[in-house]
Every structure is written in structure tokens, then in C-alpha cells.
Amino acid sequence: MTPRTAWRGCAAAGIVAFICSASFGRIPGMAACGPAGDLGPIIAFEFARTQADIAALFGSEPCTATLVAAQKTGLLLDALGFIPFYTAFLILGVIAAGSRRRVQMAMIAIFMVAAVSDQIEGGILYAILRDPPGTPALLGALWWAVHVKFALLALGTIGIAEILARGRRLSRLFAGFIAMGGLLALTGLMTMPSSWMMTGFLLGWVSLLIAALIASFSSLFAAHAAPPPGPATPSA
């Protein structure tokens, strides 16, 4: 796969991932029945720590049943759309950015583990929705799945920025925005509940998507600068 082909695949997967992301907010009934802070009903559900948190978020009938149905629809969209496409977006970004094969394989492994953690998280959330407010054991497992997922995604985003930072001026410019997004996401995760985390992912991933779109159709973007010329070799 050539870098340009990888960038085009990255851009296409990124566009679909962002369409899926925007679709979560358009699911009928996707509104918290109780306090969710500035996190929104989906992220607040993911970061619920206790049964009391779940009970507060889902409130009382008839709102409870409406939100449960909306969350189930969101989990289906997540499992079949958002997770596969954001994973492809990030992995193709790693491939397109270019690096030593060991670095690429390590980065790909990070994103694959994050995706598996995300799918496990979805299964746990669905189990809670079957009999809310769930159990302490489910909420304990949810904490690990959510934190592993977001930590790896933030670190992987920073890793993509580090690869791009070795390139030409335009590549380094985008690397700066992607790195800021990853660092902000990691900071938000460590200080949850905080909307900084999702703001960071939005900044980092939108920057990567714009970079991929530019690199798909223009030679102005390159992941690595051309190596300096070596010593002249005498002709035969």
C-alpha cells in the first residue's frame, strides 16, 4: 500500500467515523433523565461508577425506558459503525504517516487493543441496560474497559503526532495539533468527569482527518522529509 493510498483510506474511514459520531446525537430519546453534567448521556453512562450513578442518569419512567432504548441503539451503532471505522481511520493514519515496521506494528496493536476494549465495554453496558442499575461487578469491569480504551486511544493519537513531527513543515504543523488533542484527551481522562477528554479527541482526530484529506490529493504533505544527499559516488 502506497502512502497516498493509505491516506485516502484514512480519510474515507475518518469521514464515516465522524458521520457515525454525529449520528449518536440524532438517536431519538438520547437525552439524560437525570444529571449528566457536561458529558452527555453516552459518556456519562460509560463513566458511571456506582449503581446510584446509573439510577440518577436513567431517572424514572417513562423517561427510563426511552433512554434505555436509545442507549441500546447507540451501542449497536457503536459496535457496527463507529468502532470499526475509527479503528481503521487511526490504523491507516499510522501506516500512511510512515515509520519503522516495529513502530507501526506497536501502534497498530495499541489501536486494536483499544477497539477490543471498546467492544467489551459495549457488552458490559448492554448487560447493565438489561437490568439497570446493574451490579457492582459489572461497574467494576466497566471502569477498566473504559479507561483502557480511552488511555490507549489518547496515547496512540500522541504516537501518530510523534511520527508526523519528523516530517516536513506541513506535517509538523498537523503533528502539533494532533499532539495537543491527544494530551488534552489524556488530561481529561485523568481528571474525569471532564469534557476536556472529548474536546481533545475532537481536536486531534479532526486534525488527522484534515491532514489525510490534504495528503490524499496533494504532494505538499509528506510524512518524512527527503533524506540529505549522500557523498557523490564516482561513475564507472
Side-chain angles (χ1 to χ4, degrees):
M1 181 183 294
T2 66
R4 179 160 292 184
T5 300
W7 279 125
R8 288 176 176 174
C10 175
I15 289 170
V16 177
F18 274 100
I19 290 172
C20 291
S21 179
S23 298
F24 287 117
R26 300 179 67 85
I27 296 173
M30 187 62 83
C33 300
D38 58 355
L39 300 179
I42 294 177
I43 301 300
F45 186 24
E46 292 179 8
F47 279 91
R49 296 292 305 275
T50 66
Q51 292 171 297
D53 292 337
I54 300 292
L57 178 66
F58 284 85
S60 57
E61 297 294 356
C63 185
T64 301
T66 301
L67 181 56
V68 166
Q71 292 278 13
K72 287 181 178 179
T73 301
L75 289 174
L76 186 62
L77 173 61
D78 199 30
L80 301 181
F82 187 51
I83 296 173
F85 280 101
Y86 83 62
T87 304
F89 168 60
L90 296 169
I91 288 176
L92 286 166
V94 170
I95 294 170
S99 185
R100 294 187 302 276
R101 183 163 180 80
R102 284 185 182 179
V103 175
Q104 282 192 8
M105 296 306 294
M107 293 285 293
I108 290 170
I110 284 173
F111 290 130
M112 289 300 295
V113 173
V116 170
S117 296
D118 205 352
Q119 295 286 11
I120 292 172
E121 170 200 307
I124 296 169
L125 292 172
Y126 195 86
I128 293 172
L129 290 173
R130 284 203 303 264
D131 188 20
T135 65
L138 282 174
L139 288 165
L142 177 63
W143 188 95
W144 283 105
V146 168
H147 283 76
V148 168
K149 173 191 74 172
F150 281 125
L152 290 180
L153 289 177
L155 291 171
T157 300
I158 295 168
I160 292 175
E162 194 278 332
I163 296 172
L164 290 175
R166 304 173 192 173
R168 297 176 181 172
R169 181 175 298 177
L170 188 57
S171 178
R172 294 196 297 270
L173 174 64
F174 279 99
F177 286 108
I178 295 168
M180 281 192 292
L183 289 169
L184 188 60
L186 195 58
T187 301
L189 175 63
M190 293 187 295
T191 58
M192 287 300 288
S194 170
S195 60
W196 290 7
M197 186 186 72
M198 299 312 295
T199 300
F201 281 121
L202 182 63
L203 172 62
W205 291 7
V206 167
S207 299
L208 179 59
L209 178 58
I210 295 172
L213 290 167
I214 294 173
S216 295
F217 301 101
S218 172
S219 59
L220 293 175
F221 189 100
H224 294 280
T233 303
S235 57

